[in-house]
Amino acid sequence: MATGIISVGFHLTGHDSLSALLLTVAGLLWLVLAAAFATTLLHDRARWQAQAANPPALTAVAATCVLGTRLALAGWRTVAGVLLALAVVVWPALLVSVMRHWKRPAPGAAFLVCVATQAIAVLAATLAATNGDWLAWCALVAFGAGIFLYGEALARFDFRQVLTGAGDHWISAGAIAISALAGSKLTALPLWSSGAHSVLKTTTFVLLALDFAGYAVLVVCEVYRPRPHYDIRRWSTVFPLGMTAVASLSTAAAAHAPGLHGPGVVLLWVAAAVWLITFVGLLRAQAAGVPRTGGKNRPIGGGHRSG
């Protein structure tokens, strides 16, 4: 997810070589994780069901759609359509399983119910530009459902996580960012009349403003309460950083707001820098044999795979 969305950002800013490199990495990671997902489903059903009860399981949907979106932008629209179909097939079962096992208070990973749903909206809206109005309407429904699910996750979120979380608390902002991205994709479609277009445009601006506000609050909390040790959940920090950048760039183009392009570029390079720092942290942790959860040795339910 993190690698794929930064690849999208570099594509939007004309850095095609970097974008292609990250797309290759994201594609290879997706193949490995898809094979693990299928193997567990076929040969260890009890373990699969246990993992499917945790919000991180929804990264399977979100990552598939992020990869599909990048492939669609590269012209691989048939492959992107297949990935969309795959995500839509898997999404209901995982969503129901996660929501049935939701607990209060919930960590930041709870917002993946929104992220996965909006990822479907983004890919559907991207493909709708050339594949028919029906996909646009499907994207609109997913967009509305994603906003509703954000509210459900927010009602359960443990707000203490902004000071104590190990990285996945950033998904609270990332979910708004991908909602804004979905709104910008819908705004760019010619289907909507002037009234509907204005509503979508306004909604997108509001979502992006909320994302910026959440981003700022989380940065302040990171400075106030530093958490420098490596934790696999830090990939869940990289993804919202990249998603905020891409949402800004996409909104700048779709809503004819060129003032958002510059901040989007700056935020993209910030996200890329944090991606690199997190990747180095991963390599150092692997070399040192440090547990994936960093210094606190806490298990991660279902395994968080936002990288």
Side-chain angles (χ1 to χ4, degrees):
M1 289 168 61
T3 305
I5 199 60
I6 294 177
S7 174
V8 171
F10 279 136
H11 172 77
L12 294 177
T13 54
H15 296 87
D16 292 331
S17 296
L18 282 173
S19 179
L21 175 62
L22 290 174
L23 173 60
T24 301
V25 173
L28 291 174
L29 286 171
W30 185 88
L31 289 173
V32 171
L33 295 176
F37 183 95
T39 300
T40 304
L41 176 62
L42 294 174
H43 301 291
D44 193 349
R45 193 62 177 268
R47 181 185 176 192
W48 186 91
Q49 290 176 336
Q51 291 180 341
N54 295 294
L58 285 164
T59 58
V61 176
T64 297
C65 290
V66 169
L67 179 61
T69 298
R70 178 61 186 89
L71 291 173
L73 294 174
W76 294 64
R77 303 186 75 83
T78 300
V79 178
V82 171
L83 291 177
L84 175 60
L86 180 61
V88 169
V89 168
V90 174
W91 172 74
L94 291 178
L95 182 65
V96 170
S97 178
V98 167
M99 294 185 72
R100 284 180 58 193
H101 295 89
W102 252 354
K103 297 180 180 179
R104 295 173 184 265
F111 289 97
L112 284 166
V113 297
C114 170
V115 171
T117 306
Q118 296 291 19
I120 291 175
V122 169
L123 179 51
T126 301
L127 292 173
T130 57
N131 289 70
D133 292 347
W134 68 276
L135 268 177
W137 286 105
C138 292
L140 183 63
V141 171
F143 176 61
I147 292 175
F148 170 79
L149 289 169
Y150 185 91
E152 290 293 304
L154 185 65
R156 292 165 172 80
F157 181 51
D158 180 3
F159 285 92
R160 294 172 297 179
Q161 290 289 305
V162 300
L163 292 174
T164 63
D168 62 322
H169 57 290
W170 273 84
I171 305 176
S172 59
I176 303 178
I178 195 171
S179 298
L181 177 59
S184 72
K185 292 287 187 180
L186 288 166
T187 300
L189 295 176
L191 172 64
W192 320 112
S193 63
S194 57
H197 180 270
S198 296
V199 170
L200 285 170
K201 183 177 178 180
T202 301
T203 302
T204 299
F205 279 133
V206 170
L207 289 169
L208 191 59
L210 291 172
D211 176 37
F212 284 155
Y215 189 117
V217 168
L218 290 170
V219 168
V220 170
C221 290
E222 292 283 352
V223 173
Y224 177 74
R225 189 70 64 84
R227 284 147 278 181
H229 63 274
Y230 174 76
D231 190 298
I232 194 170
R233 285 167 287 189
R234 271 303 177 191
W235 289 107
S236 297
T237 300
V238 181
F239 175 73
L241 295 177
M243 184 57 70
T244 298
V246 171
S248 301
L249 294 167
S250 181
T251 302
H256 305 292
L260 289 172
H261 183 81
V265 172
V266 172
L267 293 174
L268 176 62
W269 285 107
V270 170
V274 176
W275 183 97
L276 183 60
I277 292 170
T278 306
F279 181 68
V280 171
L282 170 63
L283 295 180
R284 292 179 62 183
Q286 293 291 334
V290 176
R292 296 190 307 167
T293 51
K296 297 184 180 180
N297 298 328
R298 292 176 295 183
I300 301 173
H304 212 297
R305 295 169 178 164
S306 292

